[in-house]
Amino acid sequence: MTDPHDLRVAVLGVGIMGADHVARLATTISGARVTVINDVVAERAESVAGTVPGSRVVADPFEAIAADDVDAVVLATPGPAHEKQVLACLAARKPVLCEKPLTTDPATALDIVRREAELDTTFIQVGFMRRFDHEYQRLRAMVADGTLGTPLLMHCVHRNASVPAHFDSAMVIKDSLVHEVDVTRFILDDEIVAVTIRRPAPNPAAPPGLQDPQLALFETASGKLVDAEVFVTTGVGYEVRTEVVGELGSTTIGAGKISADFRAHFAQAYDTEMQHWVGAVRGGASSGSYVDGPGAWDGYAAAAVCAAGVRSLETGERVAVDMVRRSSI
Ligand SMILES: NC(=O)c1ccc[n+]([C@@H]2O[C@H](COP(=O)([O-])OP(=O)(O)OC[C@H]3O[C@@H](n4cnc5c(N)ncnc54)[C@H](O)[C@@H]3O)[C@@H](O)[C@H]2O)c1
């Protein structure tokens, strides 16, 4: 039975992540239901809609956003499609949970930040779901409450068994390392001001031309150093771990946990993220925010750091992050 008070959600892009979000909304999340499904591949949209009674397929993404039976939007289309679709959500004043990345470059992400700031309400949440993972929350709390003393260093590891054929060396930064960028900002509550990417000898099993693995070094505004290994063709499984080293000791999360893929690894985080978003959207009209989690600014900051990372990958040099001050928005 459908509840007339349920949030009516359109999901755009029902590939790996979008289909997972549809299933989550249909089975796990309370207070919301999927009413509209959109994908450029019509059979994929039809097939996913077939699993959700009461949903319908809308072929055009912008019609899906504007539809009368849609209160809010989940965007799980590829990064290059996000800019126009997020702007359409803002134009329609519809809350949106946009999968990372917000957009694929800092200029368009900043434009979105500015457009949202002109409105009386915040509409955009970005899918940096690790912020909802209980272990990351525990690590952040240990840093914030001083359990580890002053945090000094952080070590991150991000490994995938494989990536799709279209994945290139810049996507290792913009699609994978971007999570470590957000985790750094979240755990240390600090901005990243410079990035260096080093190119180890590539994995012989990686597709020709793909620089994998990559080693990143982030420098934060307060002088902390964070290293991140990103290795996306291990052939083994999905593995993410993070260690914070502080004045009084160190703590590691994720050690020894190897999952089939990100969906299995971060299932709790995705569920919690979606439930928080649904709660924020349902309660938002009165609070002036339809967001409970990372927003457009976090998407912009991550895009700015990743742009510096791609530049460093190309030049081999340390690259300062070019980012406007938040107070200037
Ligand atoms: N938060 C996470 O952990 C996480 C994990 C994986 C992917 N993602 C993000 O989710 C998004 C989708 O990734 P994916 O792995 O599911 O990709 P995917 O290729 O499996 O799915 C994308 C889907 O979008 C459809 N599509 C493409 N262009 C479209 C458009 N303009 N309008 C409507 N549909 C369109 C494609 O046909 C496809 O079905 C990306 O932004 C990706 O970075 C996030």
Side-chain angles (χ1 to χ4, degrees), residues 15-17 38-39 44 76-78 82 85 99-100 129 270:
I16 298 173
M17 198 70 254
N38 161 264
D39 197 290
R44 197 171 291 162
T77 51
H82 291 179
Q85 294 175 349
E99 265 306 339
K100 43 64 55 175
M129 79 300 174
Y270 291 118

Side-chain angles (χ1 to χ4, degrees), residues 93-319:
R93 293 184 63 85
K94 294 201 178 166
V96 54
L97 174 59
C98 175
E99 265 306 339
K100 43 64 55 175
L102 175 59
T103 69
T104 52
D105 67 277
T108 52
L110 182 58
D111 181 50
I112 286 176
V113 169
R114 291 194 163 127
R115 301 266 203 111
E116 186 189 50
E118 288 165 9
L119 306 174
D120 52 0
T121 307
T122 45
F123 286 89
I124 303 164
Q125 184 159 330
V126 178
F128 288 123
M129 79 300 174
R130 290 198 205 166
R131 293 185 182 222
F132 297 92
D133 176 84
H134 294 328
E135 283 206 288
Y136 276 106
Q137 292 182 339
R138 182 172 61 83
L139 191 56
R140 183 176 200 258
M142 287 177 79
V143 169
D145 70 14
T147 306
L148 297 175
T150 303
L152 305 169
L153 296 166
M154 198 158 100
H155 306 293
C156 305
V157 171
H158 179 138
R159 296 185 188 143
N160 293 63
S162 62
V163 283
H166 67 274
F167 221 79
D168 62 24
S169 302
M171 287 178 78
V172 172
I173 294 172
K174 295 204 263 190
D175 266 61
S176 299
L177 182 67
V178 66
H179 281 295
E180 311 310 321
V181 170
D182 188 63
V183 157
T184 297
R185 298 181 65 250
F186 178 65
I187 299 285
L188 299 180
D189 201 13
D190 205 355
E191 283 301 351
I192 297 169
V193 296
V195 185
T196 309
I197 304 286
R198 297 295 307 272
R199 298 169 168 257
N203 178 16
L210 182 67
Q211 176 55 55
D212 187 56
Q214 298 182 20
L215 263 186
L217 184 68
F218 304 144
E219 298 166 44
T220 74
S222 71
K224 296 170 180 64
L225 289 183
V226 177
D227 62 76
E229 170 204 313
V230 189
F231 185 9
V232 297
T233 59
T234 64
V236 178
Y238 187 76
E239 195 179 349
V240 168
R241 57 175 183 265
T242 308
E243 179 181 27
V244 174
V245 182
E247 173 192 16
L248 301 178
S250 63
T251 296
T252 304
I253 61 169
K257 181 178 172 187
I258 301 181
S259 314
D261 67 15
F262 47 83
R263 291 169 296 187
H265 198 95
F266 283 115
Q268 171 270 311
Y270 291 118
D271 288 350
T272 308
E273 170 192 59
M274 187 66 80
Q275 192 63 70
H276 275 245
W277 178 68
V278 166
V281 173
R282 281 166 57 106
S286 52
S287 74
S289 175
Y290 294 113
V291 175
D292 180 7
W297 174 262
D298 300 296
Y300 162 66
V305 174
C306 288
V310 172
R311 186 90 189 107
S312 177
L313 177 73
E314 289 162 357
T315 62
E317 317 240 302
R318 168 188 183 274
V319 177

